[in-house]
Amino acid sequence: MSGARIVVIGTGYVGLTTGACLAALGHQVTCVDVDDVKVARLAAGRVDILEPGLEELVTRGLAARRLRFVVGSRDAVAGAGAVYLCVPTPMGAGGAADLRAVEAVIAEIADILPAGCAVVTKSTVPVGTAQRIRALLGRDDVPVVANPEFLREGTAVEDFMHPDRIVVGSDDESAARRIADLYRDLSAPSVVTDAASAELVKYAANCFLAMKLSYVNAIAELCDRLGADIVSVTEGMGYDRRIGRSFLKPGPGWGGSCLPKDTHALVQVAESVGFDFSLLTAAIVENIAQRDRIVAKIAGAVGGSLAGARIGVLGLAFKAGTNDLRDSPALSVTAMLAAHGAEVTAYDPAVREALPGMTVVDDPYQVAKDADAIVVLTEWAEFTKLDWGYTADLMQGDGVVDTRNLLEPRTIMDAGLSYVGLGRSRPARVALRS
């Protein structure tokens, strides 16, 4: 399908990246949204999502006339060879994925889709969604294809253009191979399978990563209690090719737009077929417990009580390189601090909006002024370049709680501050204070 006509419905994080990258591969792409203000901004090349390389791709796509943005789906799908569904599928009641946006789009376009046009689910959807969409379409001449995305915020363009794999699934094999062919210029292995298997791949991958993160957070807690160093432990683990080095860094808990909703959704899917997925449930419980442990560490850094404590927070986005606050563990921790009576002042290089329960400032040194403790909650590289001697002079306390193990402990201690990391009890023992 070289130069295929593709419609992408939804211009959020997944939809905009998908549309811009497909246009870069030489396809004719129309991106659709219901927000006319957003469409106008995108049509002018203005991208509000912080994602390296995305704005440049949009600009090039517009200039080459391979990418356009419109309001409304019905006119856009006329003559399309594939329609990608990139609409939100948030966590609904009981943790199940809410498919109302998907169903609304299908209801809008079902009667106008060209015969042979493939409806492609790019949004993360539960196993069985392709079958449900076929039923809603009520058409035998429109195949449904599952093509899950594996995009990480902060590296989404790189992930799309240089993927580990491409997964395409449909009960119509010819349609699956037609969609797989859209990516033929990318150097990556393709998995072409049935729709249910493709849908499950995304959940299986994300939930495995969530369990891996919960596991390493638990190991970090053991390191604190046993006097071991998590950096050495994970280095020793990472050399094992069966384990690998990725997702072996402890933190304040996993969050973002994918892992929380995908883990809950897979638990719900498992329950619907009578399977108790206790392993995954334990990872979710451990993730909640991690945030309690972080708050306890912060309380310990200010003498035990958070009531009236002044806490400076570095980082609010769920990960560095993004401005995404959805299910950010940083916001969960700051909310808990405020609930315990702490006064929170926060800085994030990508967040300028006012947020409840805290004061958001535009200078990292402002969070240190009269602070009893400083807490690193997002792994922005710029925090490693702060003048920690100057920071210590601004503070009234001496605690630095590094929930990302981002900082060099010796640098913090040489500034006369007390360093608390995750699973780093050994380097923290010799804290210096003038």
Side-chain angles (χ1 to χ4, degrees):
M1 291 177 67
S2 178
R5 285 204 58 205
I6 298 170
V7 174
V8 176
I9 299 180
T11 61
Y13 168 75
V14 172
L16 186 57
T17 302
T18 297
C21 288
L22 286 171
L25 291 177
H27 305 299
Q28 295 293 323
V29 181
T30 299
C31 291
V32 179
D33 206 285
V34 296
D35 186 336
D36 56 351
V37 174
K38 185 178 184 182
V39 166
R41 287 177 61 82
L42 289 170
R46 300 175 66 182
V47 176
D48 295 325
I49 298 171
L50 179 60
E51 188 62 49
L54 183 56
E55 186 168 344
E56 292 80 358
L57 277 189
V58 169
T59 300
R60 289 207 299 268
L62 289 168
R65 300 185 182 277
R66 289 196 300 267
L67 181 64
R68 69 187 185 111
F69 297 91
V70 301
V71 177
S73 302
R74 284 185 66 84
D75 290 341
V77 301
V83 173
Y84 278 70
L85 304 182
C86 298
V87 295
T89 54
M91 190 188 307
D98 185 342
L99 296 179
R100 285 180 294 180
V102 171
E103 293 168 354
V105 170
I106 295 303
E108 182 180 0
I109 66 175
D111 65 327
I112 201 171
L113 286 169
C117 175
V119 173
V120 184
T121 55
K122 201 70 173 172
S123 306
T124 303
V125 294
V127 178
T129 299
Q131 184 176 1
R132 176 165 177 73
I133 290 174
R134 282 198 302 274
L136 291 173
L137 285 169
R139 294 180 56 173
D140 294 331
D141 60 345
V142 175
V144 180
V145 179
N147 177 214
E149 52 85 14
F150 301 98
L151 307 179
R152 298 167 296 168
E153 292 194 47
T155 59
V157 172
E158 176 71 16
D159 290 343
F160 192 103
M161 302 304 286
H162 303 280
D164 293 329
R165 76 291 203 194
I166 295 163
V167 177
V168 182
S170 178
D171 296 338
D172 181 335
E173 184 177 349
S174 65
R177 295 199 176 278
R178 183 156 50 94
I179 296 303
D181 189 54
L182 295 174
Y183 308 100
R184 65 183 179 182
D185 289 339
L186 302 179
S187 178
S190 293
V191 178
V192 178
T193 183
D194 60 277
S197 297
E199 289 166 343
L200 186 54
V201 166
K202 177 60 184 291
Y203 282 109
N206 274 2
C207 292
F208 180 84
L209 295 176
M211 290 190 291
K212 193 173 182 181
L213 287 170
S214 284
Y215 180 79
V216 78
N217 281 338
I219 293 296
E221 179 64 17
L222 276 180
C223 286
D224 278 336
R225 299 187 185 203
L226 298 173
D229 181 14
I230 190 65
V231 174
S232 297
V233 171
T234 54
E235 182 182 12
M237 292 171 62
Y239 282 115
D240 189 326
R241 287 172 293 178
R242 299 168 301 174
I243 296 172
R245 295 173 183 248
S246 65
F247 281 69
L248 283 184
K249 291 184 178 180
W254 38 267
S257 63
C258 293
L259 297 189
K261 74 182 183 69
D262 289 356
T263 49
H264 283 88
L266 189 55
V267 167
Q268 288 294 311
V269 167
E271 288 180 354
S272 72
V273 291
F275 177 63
D276 179 11
F277 205 155
S278 55
L279 182 63
L280 182 54
T281 301
I284 295 171
V285 172
E286 170 63 27
N287 195 49
I288 296 170
Q290 180 68 359
R291 295 171 191 187
D292 291 330
R293 288 195 290 263
I294 294 298
V295 172
K297 286 179 182 291
I298 299 168
V302 297
S305 174
L306 288 166
R310 294 183 176 183
I311 307 297
V313 167
L314 293 174
L316 293 170
F318 95 95
K319 65 181 288 189
T322 82
N323 57 356
D324 196 343
L325 297 172
R326 289 176 293 177
D327 275 305
S328 171
L331 294 189
S332 295
V333 170
T334 54
M336 294 169 71
L337 293 173
H340 282 86
E343 180 183 322
V344 179
T345 302
Y347 166 80
D348 188 290
V351 178
R352 293 292 181 266
E353 62 195 85
L355 296 170
M358 71 185 81
T359 300
V360 179
V361 296
D362 59 6
D363 184 332
Y365 292 109
Q366 285 183 269
V367 308
K369 185 173 176 57
D370 298 325
D372 295 301
I374 290 177
V375 184
V376 177
L377 288 173
T378 309
E379 67 280 22
W380 289 98
E382 74 171 72
F383 299 154
T384 66
K385 301 173 184 176
L386 295 178
D387 183 337
W388 285 97
Y390 175 59
T391 300
D393 292 340
L394 293 172
M395 296 174 65
Q396 77 176 5
D398 67 354
V400 175
V401 181
D402 181 6
T403 74
R404 297 285 185 170
N405 288 350
L406 176 71
L407 309 175
E408 173 53 50
R410 177 55 60 187
T411 300
I412 303 304
M413 293 186 287
D414 284 349
L417 297 169
S418 177
Y419 177 86
V420 178
L422 302 189
R424 311 239 33 213
S425 58
R426 293 181 68 84
R429 285 179 176 169
V430 290
L432 304 175
R433 180 63 175 170
S434 58

